[in-house]
Amino acid sequence: MKNLLALLLMLPLSAYAEWGQFDYEFEADKPWVELAAQLPPPPKADNLIEFNVSSATRNRHFIDTASISVGEDKVVRYTVVIDAAGGARNVSFEGMRCATGERRLYAYGQRDGTWSKARNAKWEDIKMRSLLSYHKALYESHFCPGGINVRDVEEAVRNLRQGGARAIFD
């Protein structure tokens, strides 16, 4: 009988040893690791959806829907096209982290359709108080409504087409 009791007491320890030791108790305890960003093809006019930033700017802002991705690292990546009131066009490939309210510039689009890698690209806080911040508009209404990541590309595109995420009870 003593041998059986001793065997039963050892069972959880041996089962634990078989499973191995866990590095992190919960998924949230894992350190965040950014995935490598893949540069998309240059934007095409047919894929551009205009989004509103504010009435304080005369610039027009577009997202290339073909470039949107939602990575396993929870980064929403996208190409933004800005047509300035004076006629200039700016194209950039960027990422947004909803969990931290940060953005990152990966590359600038060139006239010939190539990309120029951004120098010293690092994660920066989104300026939430600026009426001219297109990052704020994308964060609040399209990619991170309520501070929560869109689930997939389809949700991000739907939010852009509807002019922003819909309230839960709409």
Side-chain angles (χ1 to χ4, degrees):
M1 187 70 165
K2 285 183 184 179
N3 288 342
L4 181 60
L5 182 60
L7 183 62
L8 289 174
L9 288 173
M10 290 177 56
L11 186 60
L13 294 175
S14 64
Y16 179 76
E18 272 184 41
W19 283 92
Q21 207 168 16
F22 295 104
D23 290 337
Y24 304 100
E25 188 172 341
F26 298 102
E27 187 73 18
D29 293 339
K30 287 183 180 179
W32 179 76
V33 177
E34 182 178 11
L35 299 177
Q38 300 297 317
L39 293 173
K44 294 181 179 175
D46 292 348
N47 298 331
L48 297 180
I49 294 181
E50 188 169 8
F51 67 98
N52 183 45
V53 172
S54 90
S55 59
T57 180
R58 292 182 19 220
N59 294 343
R60 296 179 67 199
H61 299 78
F62 304 88
I63 294 292
D64 175 19
T65 58
S67 71
I68 300 172
S69 68
V70 181
E72 287 184 25
D73 57 0
K74 303 290 188 216
V75 175
V76 181
R77 293 179 178 87
Y78 55 91
T79 299
V80 65
V81 177
I82 302 171
D83 287 340
R89 174 170 269 203
N90 295 306
V91 177
S92 57
F93 180 61
E94 305 179 359
M96 185 171 290
R97 290 185 66 198
C98 299
T100 59
E102 293 176 300
R103 65 171 186 89
R104 180 176 179 183
L105 174 65
Y106 294 106
Y108 296 102
Q110 304 299 312
R111 283 184 187 255
D112 64 2
T114 61
W115 293 101
S116 173
K117 216 172 174 185
R119 293 185 184 145
N120 197 21
K122 62 182 188 234
W123 289 101
E124 298 178 5
D125 289 337
I126 295 170
K127 292 176 177 54
M128 295 297 186
R129 294 189 176 169
S130 173
L131 290 176
L132 301 176
S133 172
Y134 67 88
H135 298 106
K136 175 183 182 287
L138 289 172
Y139 179 90
E140 291 177 343
S141 300
H142 305 293
F143 297 154
C144 311
I148 299 171
N149 255 79
V150 290
R151 289 180 297 268
D152 50 35
V153 173
E154 291 77 20
E155 183 179 357
V157 172
R158 185 173 51 251
N159 290 349
L160 285 162
R161 287 202 168 111
Q162 291 175 349
R166 300 183 66 144
I168 295 171
F169 301 107
D170 278 358

